[in-house]
Every structure is written in structure tokens, then in C-alpha cells.
Amino acid sequence: MSNPQQLRYSKEHEWLSGAENGVSTVGITEHAANALGDVVFVQLPEVGADVTAGETCGELESTKSVSDLYSPVTGEVTEVNEDVVNDPSLVNSAPFEGGWLFKVRVAKEPADLLSVDEYTAFTAG
């Protein structure tokens, strides 16, 4: 699977969709999911919570390790993916589709999000 062109990426390996009515979807990349191994537990921010770009907002636990989840943008969480909470393996099997993590009403987007080409180069190095 390759990284979708329409998404933007953080150096912490989260992806961000384009905003629809001011709301963007957040997930982790396939690269991150592969590095984590089989995800067995997901802790997501609560609906209504404020998240800040670059700061921890949740946790992913795998058979290999525990990893912090970072928000790629600043805003308010509008929805969490309950399917992923109930079946964390979706993060591995469909990181860009059913394995999305949460939706956020974006208040501020950092300038350092990467294009697909920039992210691909970042993960290759």
C-alpha cells in the first residue's frame, strides 16, 4: 500500500485528511502501523477534548511496544472511531480507511506537515 496523495503527514507518522466543513480525519500511517506491530489497544482523546499540534493525545499499544499518539493539528475532537477501539487490528489492516482514529475541528494547522513525497522521502531515510 502506498501513502495516499491527498493526505498530509506529520513527522510523528500521523496522517491528516483535507478539511470537510472545517473537520479533518486523523490516523497513523502504514509505516507507523508496521513499525508498531499488531495493535491490541487504542486509547483515543475524548469527543470535545482540545488537542494541540505535536502534543500527545492518546496511546497505541501493540505486541511490541506502547507508543504515544500525537495530534498533527490544534483543534477540538468531534468524533472518535469506536470501531478501532473495539477492534484495534483495523489500525494495521486498514490504516487509511477503516483504521482512522479521530476527527478534529481544526483551529490551527502547523506549517510543517509533509506532502506525500516529503513523507515518503522522510521514511526512506
Side-chain angles (χ1 to χ4, degrees), residues 13-15 26-30 32-33 36 60 69 91 95-96 99 101:
H13 307 288
E14 283 82 25
W15 57 261
V26 174
I28 66 164
T29 65
E30 181 179 37
L36 277 170
L60 301 170
L69 173 64
V91 171
F96 298 112
L101 300 176

Side-chain angles (χ1 to χ4, degrees), residues 5 15 18 42 51 53 68 89 93 109 124:
Q5 290 283 335
W15 57 261
V42 176
V51 293
D68 287 332
S89 70
S93 63
E109 185 176 307

Side-chain angles (χ1 to χ4, degrees), residues 1-119:
M1 177 182 293
S2 61
N3 297 312
Q5 290 283 335
Q6 73 276 16
L7 302 178
R8 283 160 294 152
Y9 302 87
S10 74
K11 290 185 177 178
E12 288 80 25
H13 307 288
E14 283 82 25
W15 57 261
L16 179 74
S17 72
E20 186 173 313
N21 296 323
V23 176
S24 292
T25 303
V26 174
I28 66 164
T29 65
E30 181 179 37
H31 176 85
N34 289 339
L36 277 170
D38 295 333
V39 177
V40 296
F41 176 76
V42 176
Q43 177 191 1
L44 301 175
E46 293 185 20
V47 172
D50 291 326
V51 293
T52 302
E55 292 190 7
T56 303
C57 65
E59 190 174 88
L60 301 170
E61 183 178 329
S62 72
T63 54
K64 291 182 181 180
S65 66
V66 175
S67 179
D68 287 332
L69 173 64
Y70 297 90
S71 180
V73 294
T74 298
E76 179 186 349
V77 176
T78 62
E79 183 179 349
V80 296
N81 188 347
E82 292 295 337
D83 290 341
V84 166
V85 172
N86 295 325
D87 182 7
S89 70
L90 287 171
V91 171
N92 298 104
S93 63
F96 298 112
E97 295 90 24
W100 63 273
L101 300 176
F102 63 94
K103 295 187 179 188
V104 59
R105 182 167 309 283
V106 178
K108 184 177 181 188
E109 185 176 307
D112 63 350
L113 291 178
L114 307 173
S115 70
V116 66
D117 293 336
E118 292 167 331
Y119 182 74

